[in-house]
Amino acid sequence: MLRNLVRLLVLPPPGLRCKSTGHLDYSRYPTLQESDIEETFTRGSGPGGQAVNKTSNCVFLRHLPTNITIKCHTHRLASKNRVEARKLLLEKLDAHLNGENSIAAQIKAQEQRKSTERRRRQNKLQELKKNWQDRERTDGD
């Protein structure tokens, strides 16, 4: 029983564990319907030699309502490329439909806020250090 109590005290609540995604609004994130997707498999290109030239594992997805297209050939397996292509299509569709409220834009805004806060703290610390050095020089003379 003591171990459970210690574990509860040491671990933060689930919402606080992942601060970077804790405040993202997923309510407008689109969902894919298979009837809205046209999927074709083509031969990939790039390095890989015979394995790439002979197999059709490059996935080409087209979202019919918006005419957004995705071509994915990051893995050797077509099944992995299908999953990856759908993730990319969802991200692109989210950016197209939601604009500033998309997940990528929200993450970018969070990173910008973190960066400006970090810069503000550094400038404040440098200003305090400079003031302290000026006081030390005048007091020592």
Side-chain angles (χ1 to χ4, degrees):
M1 181 161 163
L2 184 60
R3 289 182 188 166
N4 293 338
L5 181 63
V6 171
R7 189 177 306 146
L8 286 175
L9 293 175
V10 172
L11 293 176
L16 295 176
R17 287 183 191 165
C18 188
K19 284 188 174 183
S20 63
T21 60
H23 302 290
L24 297 179
D25 181 22
Y26 283 94
S27 64
R28 296 181 181 150
Y29 199 70
T31 57
L32 283 181
Q33 297 175 350
E34 290 298 320
S35 60
D36 292 341
I37 298 173
E38 177 185 309
E39 180 179 44
T40 56
F41 294 95
T42 60
R43 289 193 176 145
S45 61
Q50 186 178 10
V52 171
N53 297 333
K54 288 174 67 175
T55 59
S56 297
N57 55 6
C58 179
V59 179
F60 184 77
L61 291 182
R62 177 177 299 165
H63 188 248
L64 298 175
T66 58
N67 204 24
I68 293 176
T69 59
I70 293 289
K71 186 176 181 181
C72 180
H73 185 235
T74 55
H75 303 286
R76 282 181 160 184
L77 299 175
S79 58
K80 285 186 179 180
N81 285 330
R82 288 182 75 198
V83 171
E84 189 74 25
R86 279 170 172 69
K87 287 179 187 176
L88 292 173
L89 182 63
L90 272 173
E91 289 174 7
K92 204 167 186 180
L93 192 61
D94 182 37
H96 175 74
L97 295 176
N98 296 328
E100 292 180 358
N101 297 324
S102 67
I103 299 298
Q106 290 179 37
I107 290 173
K108 187 176 180 182
Q110 279 184 351
E111 293 299 322
Q112 183 68 28
R113 282 194 296 271
K114 284 182 186 178
S115 176
T116 55
E117 179 64 21
R118 190 179 310 118
R119 220 176 300 123
R120 185 192 66 78
R121 286 182 184 165
Q122 286 175 349
N123 289 341
K124 182 179 176 183
L125 186 62
Q126 286 178 353
E127 185 66 30
L128 287 172
K129 187 176 179 181
K130 184 178 177 241
N131 289 342
W132 179 79
Q133 287 176 347
D134 289 344
R135 273 197 321 263
E136 288 297 315
R137 275 191 221 127
T138 56
D139 290 344
D141 290 340

